[in-house]
Structures are given as structure tokens and as C-alpha cells.
Amino acid sequence: MKQGTGGRAARVFVALGKSLCYLALFLGTQVLVMLPVAVAAGVQAALKNWEAADQLYNLLYENTMVFSALSGLITIGVILLFYRIRRKRLEEALWLRRVEGPGLWAGAALAPALYLVVTTALMLLPEAWLDSYAEASAGLSGGGVVGAVAVVLVAPVVEEFVFRGLIMTRMARAMPGWLAAALSAAIFGVCHGHPVWFAYAFVLGLVFGLMDLRLGSIWPSIWAHMIFNAIGQIFDLLPEEDTVAMGAYIVLLAVAVLIPLLARKGVKALFRPEPKALPAQEGGQPAGSEGGDWDPWDE
């Protein structure tokens, strides 16, 4: 019993160590991309060239999403190169396994409902919290087309690669799946910084993680993440008028109800009982299982 407990603890520490490495890659790339401009601004400030320093700081602030897109692409490239050099299959290393049937689109079908729940919850927050959240979010709307690409395409891919495909799956080898999903969602939320961001990023991360564990792949959460962020971009482009906002939410409500009904087979796949899994191999997938045959709740 003691050896079993010690072995379990060792696996937990190894999983946490790997998770920290992946998190360091994700955050470190963001810092390195912005570092040259930040250093240049600091040098100009030290030389008392205040105008030049302000211009550089404004460059960072106004192009936050451009820098985010660049760091995301670099992170994706590093991850793919790393596993290419190690000759690892991406299907297993990143959980980019093929999902058969309608289960692939289950997350995308639920994304409008998730967005509706999140925005409704935000509207119920105290005004001071909303003002703080709006101020923190101000720099995320810049970047034009590049910014939109960063939010809708790059961010969902790199974040699902790191937080679900790498961190959650490594943790799931050493602990119950639900706990691995919760811990990876908490890390995901902390990386968003603001308390309001943490709250809804944690909820989304938990939903995405449980969905991926059930279906045995991160493809469903990638599509869900993209649709969720795309809806946010559309709402950001709408005029700030009450009638427009009300009409948009009515449309969103209709879509949030209609799409899951049309994709009900895929949504049901998230709740269908799965056969008991065989012991997991090093690749993270149980021996002799395929696709959604792994039931993480039995671990």
C-alpha cells in the first residue's frame, strides 16, 4: 500500500512538473515577444525621452492582440517542432485524436449557450466590478483583422493545446479526470489575470476539459472555443444601443436553444455512459481503447 501511495505521489509530482514547463512556455513566449518593445520604452524613459517612451508604451497597449497572435503562433510552432523532433504522434501527444460522428461538433453546438450564460452572469455583477472588467478589457479590442484572427483562431488553438491537450492530459494520468480538468481550468483562469476573467475562464475551462475527457480528444473544445470567441467578436462590433443589444441577445437566445437541438446526437455523446477503461498507457490513452472508449471518471 505504501509503495502504491508513493508511486501515485511521484506520478502527481511528475505531472505537475510537466504542467509547469508547458505553462512556462506559454507565458514565457508572451513575455519574450513584448520584451524588446518594453525594454526600448524603458531605455527611452531612462534617457528622459518621454515622448518616445510614451509612443512605445502605447504601441504595446494598442497592439496587445497583435503581440498575442505572434506569441501564440510561436508557441504552437515550438510545441509542434518539439514533438516532431521527438517523433511523437500529435494525435496522442496533444490529444488531437479523431472524433467520429456528431460528437466532434458537440462543443460548437453548446458554445452559443455558454456565451449566453457567461454574458448574463456578467450583467448581474456589481457596477464597480463591471467598470474594472471593462477597463481591463479595453486593450483587447485593438489589432483590427490581426486582432480578430488572434482571438478567434490563434488563441483557441494555442490555449487548447496547452491547457487541455498538454496540462490536463498529463495531470489525468496521475489523478481522477474531473480533478485534472478542474486544476487545469484553475490554471487557465489564473492566466487571465482579472478576477472576473478568472471566474468565467475557469467555468469554460472546466466545461471544455470535461467534454474533452468524455470524447477523448481536444478537437471538440477547439471548435467550441473558436465559436465562443467569434460570438464575442461579433458582439464587440455591434453599436452600443439598447435596441441593438436586445435584438442581438434575442438572436443569441434562439441560436443557443436551436443549435443544440439540431446537434442533439453530438450533445448526447457527452452524457452517454462509456465502457470501463483499461489501464492507461504512457501515451495517455488506455490500452486497447479507441476514441471515446476511455471513461476518465473511473480512474
Side-chain angles (χ1 to χ4, degrees), residues 220-266:
S221 67
I222 289 176
W223 293 121
H225 204 151
M226 286 182 176
I227 298 300
F228 185 94
N229 286 10
I231 295 172
Q233 287 292 291
I234 293 172
F235 270 75
D236 285 343
L237 294 174
L238 295 176
E240 295 183 2
E241 299 177 5
D242 292 340
T243 54
V244 174
M246 182 61 68
Y249 278 107
I250 291 174
V251 171
L252 179 61
L253 176 60
V255 171
V257 173
L258 180 60
I259 298 300
L261 289 176
L262 295 176
R264 56 187 177 276
K265 289 184 178 180

Side-chain angles (χ1 to χ4, degrees), residues 55-145:
Q55 290 177 350
L56 290 169
Y57 284 128
N58 288 334
L59 177 66
L60 282 175
Y61 180 77
E62 294 172 359
N63 295 277
T64 300
M65 298 314 302
V66 177
F67 287 105
S68 177
L70 181 58
S71 66
L73 290 173
I74 292 174
T75 302
I76 293 171
V78 170
I79 292 172
L80 296 179
L81 180 61
F82 175 72
Y83 286 108
R84 178 75 174 178
I85 292 174
R86 297 185 65 195
R87 297 182 180 180
K88 297 286 187 178
R89 293 176 58 202
L90 295 179
E91 292 87 347
E92 298 306 320
L94 292 173
W95 260 36
L96 288 171
R97 300 172 187 153
R98 184 176 179 180
V99 179
E100 300 290 349
L104 175 64
W105 306 106
L110 293 176
L114 288 173
Y115 190 88
L116 183 65
V117 170
V118 168
T119 51
T120 302
L122 289 176
M123 288 188 292
L124 298 176
L125 293 177
E127 185 175 353
W129 290 24
L130 290 176
D131 291 342
S132 175
Y133 172 71
E135 183 179 353
S137 305
L140 302 182
S141 59
V145 174

Side-chain angles (χ1 to χ4, degrees), residues 40-58:
V43 170
Q44 293 298 326
L47 296 175
K48 297 184 179 180
N49 294 331
W50 307 117
E51 183 176 353
D54 287 342
Q55 290 177 350
L56 290 169
Y57 284 128
N58 288 334

Side-chain angles (χ1 to χ4, degrees), residues 8 95 97 164 168-182 184 206-217 269-280 284-286 289-299:
R8 185 86 172 188
W95 260 36
R97 300 172 187 153
R164 256 66 66 183
M168 183 188 71
T169 60
R170 272 56 181 179
M171 288 184 175
R173 297 175 188 172
M175 62 186 69
W178 65 267
L179 181 56
S184 63
L206 184 59
V207 171
F208 290 165
L210 296 178
M211 175 171 58
D212 288 345
L213 288 172
R214 173 59 65 185
L215 297 174
S217 172
L270 299 177
F271 305 98
R272 186 181 301 126
E274 301 289 347
K276 187 171 182 178
L278 297 174
Q285 184 177 7
S289 68
E290 294 292 336
D293 290 342
W294 178 35
D295 187 357
W297 323 118
D298 290 334
E299 287 199 346

